[in-house]
Amino acid sequence: MTKYKNKDGTELNYTGNDVQSTLTREVVEEACKILGEYNRSDLRSAEWALHRGINFLKENFDIEEDYPYNIEFGNGRTKEDMEKLDTQCRIRAFNRNRSVEDQVSTIEEIEKKVEDWIDEIPNS
């Protein structure tokens, strides 16, 4: 990978041990950690890590500019899009490893099944 250079050809050099270089490296390392720690099989988890990592960098480097996509909901998605995606993910997770007759297609069905299971638990 090529090191980033600005339009004047200047690149960053944070190899020193002064306080500013050390702190900047720590902030960038923490951002990399945040961006890399998510459930690889969960789209919502990946979007959450991206959102958290970008906001972490914006906060620590005092960046206020607007980005070309909605960071809160990821890649231009609306709140409704994210709610639909969340619902789909929850239903898929519930149906995982269940027989076809035990699978559901709505959140309401999940809630009903959970209520039924709770009702089946004997009182201690």
Side-chain angles (χ1 to χ4, degrees):
M1 184 182 307
T2 306
K3 212 171 180 184
Y4 174 81
K5 293 180 183 180
N6 70 5
K7 63 182 178 196
D8 299 324
T10 307
E11 63 184 38
L12 290 172
N13 183 0
Y14 281 96
T15 58
N17 289 324
D18 59 281
V19 173
Q20 189 68 32
S21 294
T22 303
L23 183 57
T24 301
R25 278 195 307 270
E26 288 175 9
V27 169
V28 172
E29 286 170 0
E30 183 65 20
C32 290
K33 189 168 125 183
I34 290 168
L35 290 165
E37 290 181 348
Y38 63 92
N39 180 344
R40 301 288 194 258
S41 62
D42 183 355
L43 179 62
R44 183 77 171 156
S45 176
E47 288 186 347
W48 181 83
L50 180 61
H51 168 75
R52 189 166 166 242
I54 288 171
N55 285 330
F56 176 83
L57 288 169
K58 284 175 65 175
E59 180 177 328
N60 282 282
F61 288 102
D62 297 317
I63 300 169
E64 294 298 328
E65 71 182 71
D66 242 357
Y67 285 86
Y69 61 92
N70 182 337
I71 290 174
E72 182 176 357
F73 297 115
N75 201 19
R77 289 191 175 109
T78 65
K79 182 176 180 181
E80 292 77 23
D81 290 340
M82 292 307 294
E83 288 171 352
K84 182 178 178 183
L85 179 62
D86 184 59
T87 297
Q88 291 169 347
C89 290
R90 289 176 61 196
I91 291 170
R92 246 185 271 124
F94 184 88
N95 287 336
R96 189 175 301 124
N97 300 325
R98 295 191 193 285
S99 62
V100 174
E101 60 270 6
D102 288 334
Q103 292 186 2
V104 299
S105 58
T106 67
I107 296 297
E108 291 76 19
E109 288 178 88
I110 294 174
E111 291 169 351
K112 174 74 172 109
K113 284 192 179 266
V114 170
E115 284 177 23
D116 292 347
W117 292 337
I118 291 173
D119 290 343
E120 292 174 7
I121 298 173
N123 292 335
S124 310

